[in-house]
Amino acid sequence: MNERTLPSSAGKTTPLERAILDSASFSIIATDENGIIQLFNVGAERMLGYSATEVINQLSPSAMHDLAEVEARAQALSTELNTKIAPGFEALAFKASRGIADIYELTQIRKDGSRFPCLMSITALRDEQGIILGYLLIGTDNSLRAAAEAERNHALALAEKAAQAKSRFLSSMSHELHTPLSSILGFAQLIQTGTPPPSARQKHSLEQIVQAGWYLLELINQLLELAEIESGHLSLNSEAVELAEVMRECQAMMEPQATRRSIATQFPANTLAFRVQGDRTRVKQVLLNLLSNAVKYNREGGAIIVACQLLSATRLRITVADSGPGLSQEQITQLFQPFNRLGREHSAEEGTGIGLVMTKYLVEMMDGEIGVTSNPGNGCVFWVDLTLSQEIPGYLQISQK
């Protein structure tokens, strides 16, 4: 607030000035140079419970403040400005008297003794020669903001507790299911290879048990990992990851699945010099998740193209493009929500709706970014941006191209 001149008692106020002074939303208090109240508007009367006649020429604004807080402010300012500042009105007005803009929050005390947090702005009022005539204090009741902040903090605390409880439940439930499910799978496989061999009908039933068992085991493992990530217990090793090796391993693992659906795959041949900074196991997991989805949600006889692109001297983008049905903008906005399969819950393709959520978590834990571009009917292009390791052989030459 700019410094102002205190209106003369003989002068006339304009309608705008009168409207400001009559405002009930703000307390407006003007004092003389000694800190004795000379003006006490309607807002101050409503906020503090005093009438103007009770305070004008009688009280200082400091009398309506919490004394302990005023003393603490005096001590803090004395230390900050390296000068002795007395508690009382001087502690409120010292900065303003030195031409320093000052806004502070202190507890004010009403006439009835009730208290409220007040956000106060104080400005020195000077004449044309710069001599201080008095001070102008404009205050607002900060109770609503303080209450809203307390409610927000309470809601955040409850949300944090709920998230922790959910993670504990998922972890506990997953561990409880893991052991009996592993036993079921083990017994089913023993029966498959036992003597005498199972009949054709029994073999078909056992295959269904084993297939369903492996699917449930994968789901349980994903839930365990998701719980670890959300609870902050998952640790990653940061290292220089040879992208060419990871790409070859992913290609070897995914090509058989793609071949069964006559899906052509194309991997980049220019990754030999690239090393990204991250956890090798997690980089591989991210790529496998994206490739698995590209196979699963592609069309028969489609294609998958994996590419790498230097975004800058320190950033690399990996893209996985498919020729599937694509996604609408509404579907893209829901893409990274847990357990949301975007309406494909009843399709023939198995899925949990967790894979992409975990992929996003892992990418971000490696200081990366993930996103997708798509239009219905034109497939999807998922991209992952990772930081290039400074240990890249020939790094400077590549980055300058």
Side-chain angles (χ1 to χ4, degrees):
M1 181 180 290
N2 297 325
E3 294 177 352
R4 305 176 184 179
T5 302
L6 187 67
S8 168
S9 58
K12 293 183 178 180
T13 58
T14 66
L16 177 59
E17 291 170 335
R18 176 49 53 194
I20 293 171
L21 293 174
D22 288 343
S23 171
S25 301
F26 301 91
S27 70
I28 301 177
I29 303 172
T31 75
D32 60 19
E33 67 276 17
N34 297 314
I36 302 302
I37 296 173
Q38 301 297 304
L39 183 148
F40 201 76
N41 83 327
V42 172
E45 290 181 325
R46 180 189 63 81
M47 198 175 293
L48 293 162
Y50 293 92
S51 66
T53 56
E54 289 178 289
V55 298
I56 290 177
N57 290 321
Q58 298 182 62
L59 293 180
S60 166
S62 60
M64 304 170 191
H65 284 65
D66 181 276
L67 179 60
E69 290 184 6
V70 174
E71 290 177 348
R73 176 176 167 84
Q75 292 176 1
L77 287 175
S78 297
T79 302
E80 177 187 346
L81 303 174
N82 197 28
T83 185
K84 180 64 177 177
I85 299 173
F89 186 75
E90 183 182 7
L92 303 183
F94 189 85
K95 279 191 172 182
S97 70
R98 299 304 189 270
I100 304 171
D102 196 13
I103 298 176
Y104 61 87
E105 181 179 324
L106 290 176
T107 300
Q108 286 206 303
I109 303 174
R110 299 184 180 93
K111 182 180 178 180
D112 63 7
S114 59
R115 306 158 71 90
F116 67 96
C118 182
L119 187 65
M120 187 72 72
S121 169
I122 182 168
T123 308
L125 301 167
R126 302 175 186 270
D127 64 13
E128 293 178 355
Q129 286 73 44
I131 298 172
I132 293 178
L133 300 174
Y135 297 90
L136 180 68
L137 297 87
I138 300 177
T140 58
D141 186 343
N142 226 19
S143 299
L144 292 177
R145 186 199 65 80
E149 185 70 18
E151 186 176 346
R152 174 179 173 274
N153 291 338
H154 180 63
L156 288 174
L158 288 178
E160 179 65 21
K161 286 183 179 178
Q164 291 176 355
K166 183 195 73 174
S167 295
R168 288 195 298 270
F169 169 74
L170 287 176
S171 179
S172 174
M173 179 197 70
S174 300
H175 278 296
E176 289 296 324
L177 292 174
H178 200 281
T179 301
L181 185 56
S182 296
S183 298
I184 292 171
L185 278 170
F187 281 122
Q189 290 170 325
L190 281 174
I191 296 172
Q192 280 182 318
T193 58
T195 304
S199 65
R201 184 175 178 180
Q202 291 171 332
K203 185 177 180 181
H204 177 70
S205 298
L206 287 169
E207 287 174 352
Q208 288 185 318
I209 292 172
V210 171
Q211 183 181 1
W214 282 117
Y215 172 69
L216 286 174
L217 193 60
E218 180 187 2
L219 173 58
I220 290 168
N221 290 334
Q222 287 185 339
L223 286 172
L224 274 170
E225 195 164 29
L226 183 61
E228 281 187 330
I229 291 173
E230 290 187 337
S231 64
H233 293 154
L234 185 71
S235 60
L236 274 66
N237 295 319
S238 183
E239 58 184 326
V241 179
E242 293 280 0
L243 196 55
E245 292 180 1
V246 174
M247 286 284 187
R248 283 196 296 269
E249 291 171 11
C250 291
Q251 184 175 6
M253 294 177 70
M254 295 309 302
E255 276 191 338
Q257 296 182 33
T259 301
R260 283 196 290 271
R261 297 191 59 194
S262 302
I263 296 173
T265 59
Q266 178 181 321
F267 283 76
N270 63 338
T271 59
L272 293 178
F274 295 149
R275 291 183 184 178
V276 293
Q277 197 67 27
D279 184 300
R280 190 185 191 283
T281 300
R282 302 307 178 180
V283 171
K284 182 176 177 181
Q285 182 178 351
V286 165
L287 291 177
L288 284 175
N289 281 344
L290 295 181
L291 288 166
S292 176
N293 281 348
V295 172
K296 188 184 299 183
Y297 300 112
N298 215 320
R299 58 180 173 81
E300 294 287 336
I304 297 172
I305 300 175
V306 183
C308 294
Q309 174 191 359
L310 278 172
L311 299 179
S312 69
T314 59
R315 207 71 167 168
L316 176 75
R317 171 165 291 184
I318 304 169
T319 57
V320 178
D322 64 59
S323 55
L327 298 169
S328 67
Q329 289 304 306
E330 182 181 357
Q331 289 175 313
I332 289 176
T333 61
Q334 304 172 36
L335 194 59
F336 296 101
Q337 296 176 359
F339 309 105
N340 190 339
R341 295 197 61 206
L342 307 179
R344 292 170 174 162
E345 294 83 355
H346 305 295
S347 68
E349 296 295 342
E350 293 179 344
T352 62
I354 302 176
L356 277 179
V357 178
M358 288 175 51
T359 300
K360 186 174 188 292
Y361 277 131
L362 292 173
V363 169
E364 291 175 350
M365 288 177 72
M366 293 186 289
D367 195 28
E369 294 179 77
I370 185 171
V372 62
T373 57
S374 180
N375 287 303
N378 294 323
C380 296
V381 180
F382 281 87
W383 53 265
V384 173
D385 294 348
L386 295 173
T387 301
L388 283 164
S389 171
Q390 298 300 316
E391 301 174 24
I392 299 176
Y395 168 74
L396 293 176
Q397 292 85 346
I398 293 171
S399 64
Q400 290 170 356
K401 289 183 180 180

